[in-house]
Amino acid sequence: MFGSWVLRHPTYLLLPTAVFILAFLLNSSSPLALISLPTLTKINKTYYSLFKPAPHSINMPRAPVYFFSHGGPDVQYNKTHPVYPVLQSIGKEITQKVKPKAVVVFSAHWQAEPNEIHLNNAEDTDLIYDFYGFPAEFYKATFPSKGSPALASQILTLLSQAGIQAKGLKRGLDHGVFSGFNVAFGPAENPLGCPLVQVSLFNSEDPDAHYRLGRAVAALRDENIVIIGTGMTVHNLRDMRFAWGDPTPLPYAVSFDNALKEAVEADPGVRQERMAAVTKRPDARQAHPWMDHLMPVYVAAGAAGEDQGSQLWTLHEGSFAWAQYRFGQVPT
């Protein structure tokens, strides 16, 4: 154990080594004996100013992790929907209190390969209008953002260290990002103001694989980089026809959303197991005929590590549920 600590903290061996050398040299026959004690004290202080731990790691909490239920491409235009002010409030919390160095986002609308992750390593990308049948103005939506090739490279390194295959490429932001982000980080009233890198999901419904994916990038939080998963806590497009025009929730929208809340808010020591069990519930396939919109919350929970999860808000509406989550603490 001590050996591994030394490998991680080699600089802490320099001081005793330096003291030994100085003790040898500062004898009466050495020219260095002329060095005064105050000078040695100054050298000692200089050493610790160079190698002391970064203040952030001591005094600042890790950046919180979030999960957005992002809704459809209409969410940024429907200002009367109850989720609109909720996303605005969470967005302001992020920009005004957390003040992130960057944001890394995992969207339900980008699934790469069953065993490989892709990520956007370009600085400038377009938007992907990955929907159909909506009014023409929806296809003119914009969202100003800048990527970060350096951060993308760092993420690739973290994934490689975790044994996850990954590669970088240029890809636009899908509506799982820009629709909700246009509400949370409205360019006019609350611009994000930091680099944004999107990372894919696996093309799978494996909750543990996505939990591990989140765990692999968790170290980014120590640099005040906010990780956000975007999807929906209940998402059944097939059953929209049964609830069309009626916001009354279908039974599974309530039961599954409540079960997910209980699992997400469980003690972090058992959270992964509890969340995996949720995907095997009898109502899970009703809530998610395909679990693409559910997997981002597993990424967020994995990135949270030992931090507690908390549901900030939810709404049960037809064949959907809109829960919003935060993991960890917001700086005071």
Side-chain angles (χ1 to χ4, degrees), residues 33 57 88 92 94 96 117 125 143 152 165 174 190 209 214 230 256 258 272 285 301 328:
S57 64
Q88 283 185 314
K92 289 178 181 177
I94 293 171
Q96 297 176 14
I117 292 299
T125 54
F143 183 73
Q165 295 182 43
D174 55 64
N190 187 42
T230 75
F256 186 85
N258 289 342
Q272 182 176 357
R285 280 299 170 194

Side-chain angles (χ1 to χ4, degrees), residues 141-323:
T142 61
F143 183 73
S145 67
K146 282 286 185 182
S148 171
L151 176 55
S153 178
Q154 182 180 358
I155 295 169
L156 284 173
T157 298
L158 291 173
L159 295 177
S160 176
Q161 290 172 347
I164 297 174
Q165 295 182 43
K167 69 178 181 181
L169 48 80
K170 181 175 181 177
R171 179 187 186 270
L173 299 176
D174 55 64
H175 88 267
V177 180
F178 74 78
S179 293
F181 276 31
N182 263 314
V183 183
F185 310 111
E189 62 276 5
N190 187 42
L192 182 57
C194 66
L196 173 62
V197 173
Q198 183 175 357
V199 183
S200 79
L201 306 176
F202 290 110
N203 189 9
S204 81
E205 297 180 298
D206 185 340
D208 290 324
H210 286 93
Y211 208 99
R212 291 191 295 270
L213 173 59
R215 189 181 296 143
V217 299
L220 298 173
R221 299 174 57 206
D222 294 324
E223 301 178 38
N224 202 35
I225 295 174
V226 166
I227 297 168
I228 302 176
T230 75
M232 293 287 286
T233 51
V234 175
H235 183 263
N236 187 329
L237 292 176
R238 299 174 187 173
D239 285 353
M240 283 182 66
R241 65 189 186 278
F242 300 125
W244 195 261
D246 183 1
T248 303
L250 295 174
Y252 62 77
V254 179
S255 60
F256 186 85
D257 193 51
N258 289 342
L260 182 63
K261 175 182 185 294
E262 183 176 347
V264 171
E265 293 185 341
D267 182 276
V270 297
R271 182 172 59 210
Q272 182 176 357
E273 179 183 355
R274 299 275 180 88
M275 289 182 66
V278 169
T279 65
K280 298 177 175 62
R281 288 173 51 88
D283 56 357
R285 280 299 170 194
Q286 291 176 294
H288 293 277
W290 176 253
M291 295 188 178
D292 53 347
H293 277 70
L294 184 61
M295 291 299 104
V297 76
Y298 289 82
V299 178
E306 297 303 311
D307 286 336
Q308 192 73 34
S310 177
Q311 187 186 91
L312 304 177
W313 183 84
T314 196
L315 172 69
H316 305 131
E317 182 180 42
S319 57
F320 302 99
W322 293 80

